[in-house]
PDB file of all heavy atoms in Angstrom:
ATOM      1  N   LYS A  46     126.880  72.861 140.052  1.00 81.00           N
ATOM      2  CA  LYS A  46     128.073  72.184 139.515  1.00 81.00           C
ATOM      3  C   LYS A  46     128.078  70.726 139.985  1.00 81.00           C
ATOM      4  O   LYS A  46     128.434  69.820 139.216  1.00 81.00           O
ATOM      5  CB  LYS A  46     129.311  72.918 139.952  1.00 81.00           C
ATOM      6  CG  LYS A  46     130.544  72.655 139.094  1.00 81.00           C
ATOM      7  CD  LYS A  46     131.786  73.263 139.628  1.00 81.00           C
ATOM      8  CE  LYS A  46     131.776  74.766 139.588  1.00 81.00           C
ATOM      9  NZ  LYS A  46     133.091  75.369 140.019  1.00 81.00           N
ATOM     10  N   LEU A  49     125.459  68.526 138.029  1.00 80.00           N
ATOM     11  CA  LEU A  49     125.746  68.289 136.641  1.00 80.00           C
ATOM     12  C   LEU A  49     126.659  67.032 136.535  1.00 80.00           C
ATOM     13  O   LEU A  49     127.457  66.737 137.477  1.00 80.00           O
ATOM     14  CB  LEU A  49     126.479  69.439 136.006  1.00 80.00           C
ATOM     15  CG  LEU A  49     125.672  70.740 135.855  1.00 80.00           C
ATOM     16  CD1 LEU A  49     126.576  71.844 135.369  1.00 80.00           C
ATOM     17  CD2 LEU A  49     124.512  70.535 134.892  1.00 80.00           C
ATOM     18  N   SER A  50     126.496  66.327 135.459  1.00 75.00           N
ATOM     19  CA  SER A  50     127.438  65.296 135.241  1.00 75.00           C
ATOM     20  C   SER A  50     128.800  65.957 135.059  1.00 75.00           C
ATOM     21  O   SER A  50     128.891  67.094 134.725  1.00 75.00           O
ATOM     22  CB  SER A  50     127.071  64.474 133.992  1.00 75.00           C
ATOM     23  OG  SER A  50     127.252  65.258 132.836  1.00 75.00           O
ATOM     24  N   ASN A  51     129.839  65.280 135.385  1.00 73.00           N
ATOM     25  CA  ASN A  51     131.117  65.897 135.308  1.00 73.00           C
ATOM     26  C   ASN A  51     131.705  65.934 133.910  1.00 73.00           C
ATOM     27  O   ASN A  51     132.910  66.012 133.706  1.00 73.00           O
ATOM     28  CB  ASN A  51     132.078  65.189 136.248  1.00 73.00           C
ATOM     29  CG  ASN A  51     131.832  65.510 137.673  1.00 73.00           C
ATOM     30  OD1 ASN A  51     131.444  66.665 137.997  1.00 73.00           O
ATOM     31  ND2 ASN A  51     131.980  64.564 138.594  1.00 73.00           N
ATOM     32  N   SER A  52     130.808  65.925 132.925  1.00 77.00           N
ATOM     33  CA  SER A  52     131.306  66.025 131.544  1.00 77.00           C
ATOM     34  C   SER A  52     131.818  67.422 131.253  1.00 77.00           C
ATOM     35  O   SER A  52     131.402  68.398 131.879  1.00 77.00           O
ATOM     36  CB  SER A  52     130.178  65.684 130.570  1.00 77.00           C
ATOM     37  OG  SER A  52     129.294  66.758 130.409  1.00 77.00           O
ATOM     38  N   LYS A  53     132.773  67.456 130.356  1.00 79.00           N
ATOM     39  CA  LYS A  53     133.413  68.733 130.007  1.00 79.00           C
ATOM     40  C   LYS A  53     132.363  69.684 129.455  1.00 79.00           C
ATOM     41  O   LYS A  53     132.420  70.890 129.716  1.00 79.00           O
ATOM     42  CB  LYS A  53     134.503  68.462 128.976  1.00 79.00           C
ATOM     43  CG  LYS A  53     135.373  69.578 128.671  1.00 79.00           C
ATOM     44  CD  LYS A  53     136.529  69.189 127.716  1.00 79.00           C
ATOM     45  CE  LYS A  53     137.452  70.329 127.463  1.00 79.00           C
ATOM     46  NZ  LYS A  53     138.532  69.936 126.570  1.00 79.00           N
ATOM     47  N   ASP A  54     131.374  69.221 128.708  1.00 83.00           N
ATOM     48  CA  ASP A  54     130.359  70.077 128.095  1.00 83.00           C
ATOM     49  C   ASP A  54     129.487  70.702 129.170  1.00 83.00           C
ATOM     50  O   ASP A  54     129.143  71.907 129.081  1.00 83.00           O
ATOM     51  CB  ASP A  54     129.471  69.279 127.114  1.00 83.00           C
ATOM     52  CG  ASP A  54     130.197  68.937 125.872  1.00 83.00           C
ATOM     53  OD1 ASP A  54     131.239  69.580 125.539  1.00 83.00           O
ATOM     54  OD2 ASP A  54     129.763  68.019 125.179  1.00 83.00           O
ATOM     55  N   ASP A  55     129.090  69.928 130.210  1.00 83.00           N
ATOM     56  CA  ASP A  55     128.244  70.472 131.254  1.00 83.00           C
ATOM     57  C   ASP A  55     128.977  71.565 132.059  1.00 83.00           C
ATOM     58  O   ASP A  55     128.421  72.618 132.350  1.00 83.00           O
ATOM     59  CB  ASP A  55     127.803  69.363 132.237  1.00 83.00           C
ATOM     60  CG  ASP A  55     126.688  68.524 131.679  1.00 83.00           C
ATOM     61  OD1 ASP A  55     126.125  68.852 130.618  1.00 83.00           O
ATOM     62  OD2 ASP A  55     126.376  67.507 132.314  1.00 83.00           O
ATOM     63  N   VAL A  56     130.214  71.282 132.366  1.00 81.00           N
ATOM     64  CA  VAL A  56     131.028  72.239 133.163  1.00 81.00           C
ATOM     65  C   VAL A  56     131.241  73.523 132.329  1.00 81.00           C
ATOM     66  O   VAL A  56     131.064  74.654 132.851  1.00 81.00           O
ATOM     67  CB  VAL A  56     132.335  71.629 133.617  1.00 81.00           C
ATOM     68  CG1 VAL A  56     133.273  72.687 134.217  1.00 81.00           C
ATOM     69  CG2 VAL A  56     132.137  70.520 134.579  1.00 81.00           C
ATOM     70  N   GLN A  57     131.524  73.383 131.045  1.00 86.00           N
ATOM     71  CA  GLN A  57     131.720  74.529 130.185  1.00 86.00           C
ATOM     72  C   GLN A  57     130.434  75.357 130.051  1.00 86.00           C
ATOM     73  O   GLN A  57     130.480  76.585 130.067  1.00 86.00           O
ATOM     74  CB  GLN A  57     132.251  74.128 128.804  1.00 86.00           C
ATOM     75  CG  GLN A  57     132.717  75.290 127.955  1.00 86.00           C
ATOM     76  CD  GLN A  57     133.837  76.079 128.643  1.00 86.00           C
ATOM     77  OE1 GLN A  57     134.833  75.520 129.106  1.00 86.00           O
ATOM     78  NE2 GLN A  57     133.660  77.402 128.758  1.00 86.00           N
ATOM     79  N   LEU A  58     129.321  74.669 129.968  1.00 87.00           N
ATOM     80  CA  LEU A  58     128.049  75.362 129.882  1.00 87.00           C
ATOM     81  C   LEU A  58     127.825  76.227 131.113  1.00 87.00           C
ATOM     82  O   LEU A  58     127.427  77.394 131.048  1.00 87.00           O
ATOM     83  CB  LEU A  58     126.898  74.377 129.698  1.00 87.00           C
ATOM     84  CG  LEU A  58     125.477  74.971 129.650  1.00 87.00           C
ATOM     85  CD1 LEU A  58     125.326  75.863 128.450  1.00 87.00           C
ATOM     86  CD2 LEU A  58     124.448  73.838 129.610  1.00 87.00           C
ATOM     87  N   LEU A  59     128.066  75.643 132.280  1.00 86.00           N
ATOM     88  CA  LEU A  59     127.932  76.407 133.525  1.00 86.00           C
ATOM     89  C   LEU A  59     128.887  77.571 133.553  1.00 86.00           C
ATOM     90  O   LEU A  59     128.511  78.698 133.943  1.00 86.00           O
ATOM     91  CB  LEU A  59     128.164  75.482 134.742  1.00 86.00           C
ATOM     92  CG  LEU A  59     128.134  76.154 136.112  1.00 86.00           C
ATOM     93  CD1 LEU A  59     126.758  76.707 136.388  1.00 86.00           C
ATOM     94  CD2 LEU A  59     128.587  75.207 137.161  1.00 86.00           C
TER      95      LEU A  59
END
Side-chain angles (χ1 to χ4, degrees):
K46 202 185 292 185
L49 293 173
S50 67
N51 285 325
S52 77
K53 191 176 182 179
D54 289 340
D55 283 351
V56 171
Q57 191 58 50
L58 178 63
L59 176 64

